[in-house]
């Protein structure tokens, strides 16, 4: 087990140590503190150092804990894994005090100024300052403003043209110090002295980066944790820097990150992590890995010292894959045909997210030089994916169960073999029985999946925006049966034959009404204020509203059979049945 060096230290002891040489590595995020965070820090420190705004009430044995600093020893540097925002801010605060104290010649001010200097600059063997060597350096690859930070520390002033967060924070502290001195002119040296001597940090030094990252994940309960993609960014940064393409890479990474932030909303991890995950399945399939146990994202990419990320073309592949998914999210009809967009809409309501990895592998393997897919082949693939995933969600519930057949087909895809699911074809009688015995509660994802698929079996159903908020409508209201007791089997209300997609705003209005009342909302109406309220864009509900005066149990069963018959036919059409 890796050793940890943990030693509670004052700000002065930690910063002034001759061995202190902090590095904010390239994979870290840019500095992000603003006035709000700095005001909180200033207020907390001031209340601690000047209790009741009285300098003399301070107890020199009191301590104020500022938090942990997690690092690992990278050569002669202490690479910062957690605490870079805190550390950077403290450096700017101390530099602002140092600048202010330059014009003060009283003994206390000179003493504290000299102490601060040892926190900012390195010293030689005789304890003389080496003013061109700072105690901290930043290599953050996507931070265009880091040179302003280093210049402020070196020179102690902010040029007029500086507009970075570093510059704004330094100006903020300059203003606070001026206010402080104006109110307590005889105590200028006391506040920085108490910050350095009584404010405590907990440096945790790990032997390896991996250990430091694990500690960080355990400790950090604020803000965004360091993501896997931050580590990957560092590897790309080094690779493209060696090629002399550093600036071009930084620009492309920023654009890619912005695109992913807009497009992906994963339950865990960052949007960029999601892109790397989708791409991982393509590379995984190329390696011939079909094990249903998947490695953690960073474990997969870190093999052989991140060899994959240093392979020519991989970063470009990630950009191409992101653009593909962006066109899906934008329903780009210049890239995709109407039928493909309809299938992709249905897949957006899949019972689990496995389809996104499956489609990513298909795209990466079959795209042409312009990043396009052949329409008919892609449409066939999407139909087969829907038919298989939907059925498997009922016959073999759980996303983990789906891994075995899908991972095997991913390998077929990268080897240019057709997707057929030969070892997992379905018996139609068994499928029908399982569907008939399955209770399609609204909380089960497959319920919405099935009624979305059913809605788009109608050629008249228009393509809806992916932004449309759709809910599950009980055509025969649940509350109606509770009041009327008109169903011979109360479970009929949960049959697929009684469920349809409906826009959320209409579903709220139409809930719990008799069918003839619901039909008014399905079709649209004019309210009491004379305003036109739009009806649904779900074609089947409009057809029912225009053709029926009631929707009964027999209608539920008839529609349920129609859905089931159509789905069995869909399985057969896609070659997924044994018979």
């Amino acid at each position: 087990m890796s050793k940890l060096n943990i030693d509670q230290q004052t700000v002065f002891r930690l910063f002034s140590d001759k061995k202190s040489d902090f590095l904010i590595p390239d994979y870290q995020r840019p500095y992000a503190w603003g006035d709000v965070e700095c005001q909180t820090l200033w207020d907390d420190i001031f209340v601690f150092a000047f209790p009741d705004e009285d300098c003399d009430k301070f107890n020199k044995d009191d301590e104020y804990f500022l938090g942990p600093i997690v690092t690992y020893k990278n050569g002669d540097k202490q690479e910062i894994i957690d605490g870079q925002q805190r550390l950077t801010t403290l450096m700017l605060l101390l530099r602002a005090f140092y600048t202010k104290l330059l014009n003060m010649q009283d003994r206390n001010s000179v003493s504290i100024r000299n102490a601060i200097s040892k926190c900012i600059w390195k010293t030689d063997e005789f304890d003389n300052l080496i003013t061109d060597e700072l105690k901290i350096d930043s290599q953050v690859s996507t931070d265009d403003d880091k040179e302003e930070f280093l210049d402020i520390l070196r020179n102690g002033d902010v040029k007029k043209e500086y507009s970075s967060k570093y510059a704004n924070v330094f100006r903020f502290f300059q203003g606070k110090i001026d206010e402080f001195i104006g109110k307590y002119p005889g105590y200028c040296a006391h506040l920085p002295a108490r910050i350095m001597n009584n404010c405590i940090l907990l440096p945790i030094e790990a032997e390896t980066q991996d250990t430091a990252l694990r500690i960080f994940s355990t400790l950090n309960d604020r803000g965004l944790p360091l993501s896997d993609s931050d580590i990957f960014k560092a590897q790309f940064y080094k690779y493209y820097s060696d090629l002399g393409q550093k600036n071009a890479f930084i620009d492309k990474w920023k654009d890619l990150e912005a695109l992913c932030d807009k497009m992906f909303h994963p339950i865990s991890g960052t949007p960029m992590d999601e892109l790397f995950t989708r791409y991982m399945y393509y590379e995984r399939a190329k390696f011939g890995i079909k094990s249903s146990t998947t490695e953690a994202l960073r474990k997969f990419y870190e093999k052989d010292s991140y060899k994959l990320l240093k392979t020519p073309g991989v970063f470009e592949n990630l950009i191409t894959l992101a653009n593909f998914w962006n066109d899906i999210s934008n329903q780009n009809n210049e890239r995709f045909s109407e039928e493909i967009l309809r299938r992709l809409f249905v897949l957006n309501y899949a019972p689990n997210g496995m389809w996104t990895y499956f489609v990513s592998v298909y795209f990466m393997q079959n795209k042409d030089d312009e990043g396009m897919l052949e329409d008919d082949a892609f449409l066939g693939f999407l139909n087969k994916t829907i038919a298989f995933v939907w059925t498997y969600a009922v016959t073999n519930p759980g996303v983990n169960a789906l891994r075995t057949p899908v991972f095997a087909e991913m390998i077929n895809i990268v080897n240019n073999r057709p997707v057929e699911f030969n070892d997992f074809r379905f018996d139609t009688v068994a499928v029908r029985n399982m569907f008939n015995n399955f209770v399609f509660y609204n909380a089960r994802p497959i319920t919405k999946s099935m009624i979305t698929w059913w809605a788009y079996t109608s050629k008249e159903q228009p393509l809806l925006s992916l932004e449309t908020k759709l809910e599950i409508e009980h055509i025969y209201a649940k509350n109606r049966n509770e009041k009327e007791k008109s169903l011979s089997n109360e479970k009929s209300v949960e049959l697929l034959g009684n469920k349809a997609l409906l826009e959320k705003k209409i579903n709220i209005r139409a809930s719990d009404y008799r069918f003839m009342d619901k039909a008014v909302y399905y079709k649209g109406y004019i309210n009491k204020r004379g305003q036109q309220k739009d009806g649904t864009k779900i074609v089947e509900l409009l057809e029912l509203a225009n053709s029926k005066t009631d929707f009964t149990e027999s209608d539920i069963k008839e529609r349920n059979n129609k859905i089931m018959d159509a789905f069995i036919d869909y399985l057969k059409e896609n070659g997924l049945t044994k018979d």
Side-chain angles (χ1 to χ4, degrees):
M1 184 176 178
S2 297
K3 293 180 180 178
L4 297 177
N5 294 319
I6 304 174
D7 183 17
Q8 178 175 297
Q9 295 185 31
T10 63
V11 170
F12 176 74
R13 182 182 167 199
L14 177 62
F15 285 19
S16 65
D17 191 315
K18 286 184 175 294
K19 295 180 181 178
S20 292
D21 192 358
F22 299 107
L23 173 67
I24 304 172
D26 43 18
Y27 51 79
Q28 285 281 12
R29 294 187 178 91
Y31 183 62
W33 274 35
D35 287 359
V36 173
E37 293 84 1
C38 292
Q39 183 69 57
T40 300
L41 177 66
W42 177 271
D43 290 344
D44 289 349
I45 289 174
F46 180 80
V47 168
F48 164 73
F50 280 65
D52 300 326
E53 298 190 16
D54 187 340
C55 179
D56 296 331
K57 286 187 178 181
F58 178 75
N59 185 337
K60 63 183 180 61
D61 294 323
D62 284 347
E63 295 177 339
Y64 180 77
F65 182 61
L66 290 170
I69 303 289
V70 181
T71 66
Y72 91 97
K73 201 72 173 173
N74 187 357
D76 294 331
K77 301 283 187 180
Q78 291 168 276
E79 188 166 307
I80 302 169
I81 301 297
D82 182 30
Q84 64 133 331
Q85 306 282 335
R86 190 180 307 117
L87 208 60
T88 300
T89 304
L90 286 171
M91 280 287 189
L92 290 169
L93 174 59
L94 292 178
R95 188 60 174 94
F97 269 115
Y98 182 86
T99 300
K100 178 59 66 174
L101 292 168
L102 280 175
N103 298 321
M104 300 181 182
Q105 300 304 318
D106 62 282
R107 185 179 64 179
N108 289 342
S109 295
V110 172
S111 176
I112 291 303
R113 186 178 68 219
N114 291 338
I116 292 175
S117 69
K118 295 176 181 177
C119 295
I120 296 172
W121 291 282
K122 296 178 183 178
T123 56
D124 61 20
E125 60 183 311
F126 301 108
D127 221 23
N128 298 311
L129 297 181
I130 307 174
T131 54
D132 58 350
E133 293 187 23
L134 297 169
K135 286 286 187 77
I136 191 169
D137 189 16
S138 175
Q139 294 181 350
V140 178
S141 59
T142 51
D143 187 356
D144 295 332
D145 299 322
K146 60 193 175 190
E147 289 304 323
E148 287 192 17
F149 168 55
L150 300 177
D151 183 63
I152 291 168
L153 289 185
R154 291 188 191 103
N155 300 309
D157 64 354
V158 185
K159 296 177 182 177
K160 289 183 179 180
E161 63 269 22
Y162 281 5
S163 59
S164 66
K165 288 184 178 295
Y166 303 109
N168 292 337
V169 165
F170 188 75
R171 292 187 184 108
F172 174 88
F173 284 133
Q174 284 183 311
K176 287 296 175 183
I177 292 169
D178 286 342
E179 289 177 15
F180 170 73
I181 293 175
K183 191 170 184 179
Y184 303 97
Y187 298 100
C188 181
H190 288 71
L191 184 54
R194 290 168 186 179
I195 290 173
M196 289 197 298
N197 297 325
N198 295 82
C199 287
I200 303 299
L201 290 164
L202 184 66
I204 304 173
E205 184 180 295
E207 288 186 334
T208 66
Q209 183 189 65
D210 193 56
T211 300
L213 286 167
R214 283 201 300 273
I215 295 168
F216 169 65
S217 297
T218 301
L219 290 175
N220 189 20
D221 60 356
R222 300 179 303 278
L224 292 173
L226 196 66
S227 68
D228 290 335
S229 57
D230 289 322
I231 305 297
F232 304 154
K233 176 181 70 177
Q235 299 301 322
F236 279 130
Y237 178 77
K238 293 171 186 174
Y239 172 74
Y240 282 101
S241 293
D242 290 344
L243 294 177
Q245 300 172 19
K246 177 180 67 174
N247 292 333
F249 163 73
I250 291 173
D251 290 341
K252 288 180 180 179
W253 181 273
K254 286 182 178 178
D255 291 342
L256 183 60
E257 196 167 40
L259 184 63
C260 290
D261 286 345
K262 178 183 71 174
M263 181 172 47
F264 298 136
H265 307 284
I267 295 173
S268 62
T270 68
M272 283 290 281
D273 287 351
E274 177 64 21
L275 177 63
F276 277 94
T277 300
R278 295 188 186 193
Y279 184 73
M280 175 185 73
Y281 283 94
Y282 170 60
E283 293 289 352
R284 193 176 185 272
K286 287 167 62 178
F287 289 136
I289 302 171
K290 60 181 178 181
S291 168
S292 60
T293 302
T294 55
E295 294 174 284
L297 188 62
R298 186 152 57 91
K299 286 294 182 183
F300 177 82
Y301 282 104
E302 73 180 5
K303 293 172 185 171
D304 299 324
S305 300
Y306 295 94
K307 180 180 178 181
L308 180 59
L309 299 181
K310 300 168 186 174
T311 303
V314 167
F315 185 56
E316 288 72 20
N317 281 346
L318 286 160
I319 294 173
T320 300
L321 183 59
N323 287 328
F324 169 73
W325 282 106
N326 186 50
D327 283 342
I328 289 177
S329 67
N330 291 331
Q331 296 178 306
N332 187 340
N333 57 16
E334 293 184 4
R335 180 194 276 263
F336 304 116
S337 69
E338 176 76 10
E339 277 305 304
I340 284 175
L341 287 174
R342 289 160 66 87
R343 295 300 98 188
L344 289 168
F345 184 93
V346 173
L347 277 163
N348 192 59
Y349 290 89
N352 55 64
M354 183 61 69
W355 74 276
T356 60
Y357 310 140
F358 201 32
V359 170
S360 294
V361 174
Y362 181 90
F363 168 72
M364 290 305 304
Q365 182 63 25
N366 292 286
K367 63 181 175 60
D368 62 20
D369 292 341
E370 296 180 352
M372 302 295 287
L373 294 171
E374 198 280 315
D375 270 10
D376 289 343
F378 189 36
L379 180 60
F381 169 77
L382 294 178
N383 275 320
K384 188 161 289 191
T385 300
I386 293 168
F388 186 85
V389 171
W390 267 231
T391 308
Y392 219 71
V394 174
T395 61
N396 299 75
V399 66
N400 290 343
L402 191 58
R403 289 177 177 179
T404 298
V406 169
F407 287 178
E409 292 302 327
M410 286 178 176
I411 293 173
N412 283 337
I413 290 172
V414 298
N415 286 292
N416 296 314
R417 294 192 293 263
V419 172
E420 294 180 336
F421 294 103
N422 283 330
D423 297 331
F424 301 93
R425 291 182 179 178
F426 304 102
D427 179 277
T428 54
V429 174
V431 168
R432 189 183 290 273
N433 287 336
M434 294 194 76
F435 270 71
N436 286 337
N437 292 318
F438 192 87
V439 182
F440 287 93
Y441 292 121
N442 286 13
R444 288 176 164 169
I446 186 59
T447 303
K448 204 168 192 178
S449 306
M450 284 296 298
I451 61 174
T452 304
W453 168 82
W454 172 246
Y456 278 89
T457 59
S458 169
K459 294 187 181 298
E460 304 302 318
Q461 175 59 48
L463 179 66
L464 301 177
S465 166
L466 291 172
E467 301 301 317
T468 305
K469 296 185 184 302
L470 294 168
E471 294 184 341
I472 299 172
E473 160 76 341
H474 287 83
I475 304 172
Y476 181 103
K478 292 177 71 174
N479 283 3
R480 179 181 171 187
N481 187 58
E482 292 173 7
K483 295 173 183 176
E484 297 179 1
K485 305 295 182 185
S486 55
L487 298 179
S488 63
N489 185 347
E490 62 180 20
K491 292 183 179 179
S492 295
V493 78
E494 298 296 350
L495 291 175
L496 286 176
N498 190 40
K499 299 190 177 186
L501 289 180
L502 184 61
E503 293 87 346
K504 181 177 181 179
K505 60 182 179 180
I506 303 174
N507 192 37
I508 293 171
R509 297 190 204 116
S511 63
D512 300 337
Y513 286 95
R514 294 176 63 88
F515 179 76
M516 66 174 61
D517 298 316
K518 285 174 172 283
V520 172
Y521 295 105
Y522 294 165
K523 291 187 286 187
Y525 67 102
I526 297 175
N527 69 12
K528 293 178 180 179
R529 290 189 236 171
Q531 297 170 317
Q532 177 65 48
K533 295 297 182 180
D534 293 336
T536 182
K537 289 185 171 62
I538 303 300
V539 166
E540 187 192 18
L541 286 180
L542 288 173
E543 292 173 347
L544 289 173
N546 288 317
S547 63
K548 289 182 174 294
T549 57
D550 199 3
F551 193 77
T552 64
E553 188 169 19
S554 62
D555 293 315
I556 292 174
K557 291 178 179 178
E558 180 184 350
R559 183 170 176 268
N560 198 73
N561 288 334
K562 283 175 63 178
I563 295 173
M564 198 65 256
D565 289 344
F567 192 76
I568 293 296
D569 289 342
Y570 189 58
L571 279 180
K572 291 178 179 178
E573 290 165 9
N574 285 285
L576 294 173
T577 60
K578 295 177 181 177
D579 47 331

